[in-house]
């Protein structure tokens, strides 16, 4: 099966995507700063189809060597899932400049550079799939998430323009925009906060990491061959 690189794969959405793709038969490289027990368990359950590579994507200068290393170990990459990112919660006037710069570096610059070097390899192959993780915050906004929302909006612009560049190479480029997902991040909202989100949803529930993983698998496979430049929202109808 084809090889896929998933970033931010030690927990949450990234881990769910990596585990699902491995279960579907893909050869998955899970990229994260540290492995963590949840990823360790997933690797053990994946029967050799899931491997871990440690890397901090804020090290922009190291990205070219990272891609060369991965290609040398697993061969041509068919898929890239740019999932790694950081949330920055706080009012903009109170946010330190270094926090803004670090968030933009990890959420925007790093996936752009990683995609650049992975796409070079796809140019010599038989196409490929790129999936960028955005957020409904990119279009709805949210109090205290102005920097985060800007970075996720940037990924949508990146996705749409790159889809036009890469299409002639047989490479599809899409974005997934999750809403409030049942993860460690939304656990910080507390029961009252999560209940409020559920009440705003037509389905009266939060979406699940498995929903995002299933959509990613679809885009990676034959079903997604004619989908490119799209932003696919998974939010239990929260933005309907």
């Amino acid at each position: 099966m084809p090889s896929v690189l998933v970033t931010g794969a030690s927990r949450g959405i990234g881990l769910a995507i990596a585990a699902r793709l491995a279960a579907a038969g893909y050869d998955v490289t899970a990229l994260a700063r540290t492995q963590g027990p949840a990823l360790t368990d997933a690797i053990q359950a994946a029967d050799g189809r899931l491997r871990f590579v440690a890397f901090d994507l804020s090290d922009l200068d190291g990205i070219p060597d990272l891609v060369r290393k991965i290609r040398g170990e697993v061969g041509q990459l068919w898929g890239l899932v740019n999932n790694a990112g950081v949330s920055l919660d706080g009012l903009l006037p109170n946010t330190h400049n270094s926090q803004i710069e670090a968030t933009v570096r990890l959420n925007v610059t790093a996936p752009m550079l990683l995609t650049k070097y992975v796409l070079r390899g796809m140019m010599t192959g038989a196409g490929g799939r790129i999936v960028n993780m955005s957020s409904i915050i990119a279009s709805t906004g949210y109090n205290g998430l102005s920097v985060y929302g800007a970075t996720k909006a940037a990924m949508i612009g990146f996705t749409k323009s790159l889809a036009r560049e890469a299409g002639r190479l047989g490479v599809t480029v899409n974005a997934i925009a999750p809403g409030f997902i049942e993860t460690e991040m939304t656990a910080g909202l507390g029961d009252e906060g999560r209940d409020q989100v559920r009440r705003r949803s037509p389905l009266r529930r939060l979406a699940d990491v498995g929903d995002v993983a299933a959509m990613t698998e679809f885009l990676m496979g034959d079903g997604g061959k004619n989908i490119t430049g799209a932003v696919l929202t998974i939010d239990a109808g929260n933005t309907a």
Side-chain angles (χ1 to χ4, degrees):
M1 286 292 286
S3 294
V4 178
L5 172 61
V6 181
T7 71
S10 62
R11 61 180 181 172
I13 291 174
L15 176 58
I17 292 172
R20 173 124 187 175
L21 292 178
Y26 290 91
D27 178 17
V28 181
T29 298
L31 190 76
R33 287 178 295 180
T34 58
Q35 185 165 321
L39 179 54
T40 299
D41 291 344
I43 289 172
Q44 292 174 350
D47 195 25
R49 292 186 298 273
L50 179 59
R51 60 193 291 272
F52 168 69
V53 170
F55 188 77
D56 184 348
L57 283 167
S58 64
D59 175 16
L60 302 181
D61 292 338
I63 289 176
D65 286 340
L66 168 71
V67 175
R68 280 192 290 268
K69 172 188 173 184
I70 292 173
R71 289 186 63 195
E73 293 174 352
V74 304
Q76 177 66 37
L77 284 168
W78 165 256
L80 169 63
V81 182
N82 283 310
N83 169 74
V86 63
S87 178
L88 180 59
D89 190 356
L91 298 179
L92 184 62
N94 301 329
T95 304
H96 197 279
N97 291 354
S98 63
Q99 293 177 295
I100 296 173
E101 192 277 333
T103 303
V104 173
R105 185 194 314 129
L106 185 60
N107 290 8
V108 180
T109 311
M112 285 183 176
L113 290 180
L114 183 61
T115 302
K116 169 185 174 178
Y117 291 102
V118 170
L119 185 58
R120 283 182 176 179
M122 290 178 176
M123 292 172 66
T124 63
R129 304 280 193 268
I130 297 169
V131 177
N132 297 317
M133 207 56 59
S134 183
S135 168
I136 63 168
I137 304 302
S139 57
T140 66
Y142 198 84
N143 184 50
L145 293 177
S146 59
V147 176
Y148 175 79
T151 64
K152 291 305 179 180
M155 292 310 293
I156 291 176
F158 177 59
T159 294
K160 289 184 172 294
S161 290
L162 187 62
R164 293 188 173 275
E165 291 181 26
R168 63 177 66 92
L169 307 172
V171 177
T172 67
V173 187
N174 293 289
I176 296 177
F180 290 93
I181 303 287
E182 290 279 12
T183 63
E184 293 177 17
M185 186 178 297
T186 54
L189 295 173
D191 291 339
E192 183 178 348
R194 291 198 302 277
D195 286 343
Q196 185 178 16
V197 174
R198 291 187 186 100
R199 287 194 298 270
R200 289 203 305 263
S201 163
L203 297 177
R204 296 297 188 268
R205 60 175 179 258
L206 273 68
D208 185 83
V209 295
D211 302 327
V212 181
M215 179 61 74
T216 304
E217 181 190 353
F218 177 78
L219 292 172
M220 285 288 160
D222 191 60
K225 65 183 179 182
N226 288 319
I227 301 173
T228 195
V231 181
L232 304 163
T233 300
I234 301 176
D235 68 348
N238 195 270
T239 55

